[in-house]
Amino acid sequence: MAHPAPTPVHVPPVADVAATWQRILLLTARVENKLAAVLQRRHGIGLSEYRALGHLVASPTSELRMQELADKVGLNQSSVTRLVARLNAADFAYRDLCADDKRGVYAVITDTGRAKYAEASRTYEETLSDALKEEGQADPQLAAALAALGALS
């Protein structure tokens, strides 16, 4: 019994894929720089601190193992340790040992950290939206891609 021929799939040339990837990286870098600058200027926190607080706020227990937080924020173990130390110094979070496993260390958000995250969230969302619109206006192809993702409205 003959099998039907597979439907051909259009695969762009590698050069096109690489060029598209470079445009995505450039977009990401520009938007991240804007987010970082605005969060630092208006709220006194960095982008990694903001994202860490967001993950801690979203946790049902208000805490995450350090390695889990590192994975969510995209940092290595030593970098997340320094990040949580900064959050601790600002009273946004603290380190706690796991009661069942003394080797397990958690980052736990404080009420001050929750308030800081809530305060900075609106700034983050407005800045992100504005930055994506600005980048889309500068590049019509990018605007189409952003619109398809629902990033521009």
Side-chain angles (χ1 to χ4, degrees), residues 29-48:
R30 287 178 177 164
V31 172
E32 295 275 282
N33 287 338
K34 288 175 186 173
L35 288 167
V38 171
L39 286 173
Q40 188 63 52
R41 186 175 63 248
R42 292 188 191 168
H43 303 284
I45 62 172
L47 194 50
S48 293

Side-chain angles (χ1 to χ4, degrees), residues 64-76:
L64 292 170
R65 280 188 176 264
M66 294 289 280
Q67 186 57 54
E68 188 177 1
L69 183 60
D71 292 343
K72 288 181 178 289
V73 180
L75 297 174
N76 62 35

Side-chain angles (χ1 to χ4, degrees), residues 66 70 74-86:
M66 294 289 280
L75 297 174
N76 62 35
Q77 190 66 40
S78 63
S79 294
V80 84
T81 297
R82 290 190 303 274
L83 169 68
V84 172
R86 292 190 304 271

Side-chain angles (χ1 to χ4, degrees), residues 46-148:
L47 194 50
S48 293
E49 286 84 1
Y50 172 80
R51 289 190 174 136
L53 291 174
H55 291 299
L56 292 170
V57 163
S59 169
T61 59
S62 299
E63 65 185 16
L64 292 170
R65 280 188 176 264
M66 294 289 280
Q67 186 57 54
E68 188 177 1
L69 183 60
D71 292 343
K72 288 181 178 289
V73 180
L75 297 174
N76 62 35
Q77 190 66 40
S78 63
S79 294
V80 84
T81 297
R82 290 190 303 274
L83 169 68
V84 172
R86 292 190 304 271
L87 293 174
N88 186 18
D91 192 35
F92 297 152
Y94 62 92
R95 291 169 47 110
D96 196 18
L97 293 177
C98 176
D100 300 334
D101 176 5
K102 296 298 181 194
R103 295 171 297 168
V105 180
Y106 286 84
V108 184
I109 194 164
T110 64
D111 289 340
T112 305
R114 280 185 189 286
K116 179 59 76 171
Y117 180 77
E119 169 190 312
S121 289
R122 183 175 173 108
T123 300
Y124 179 90
E125 290 171 15
E126 288 172 354
T127 303
L128 177 59
S129 179
D130 291 347
L132 290 173
K133 284 178 186 172
E134 183 180 316
E135 293 296 326
Q137 289 170 350
D139 184 339
Q141 286 181 320
L142 185 57
L146 291 170

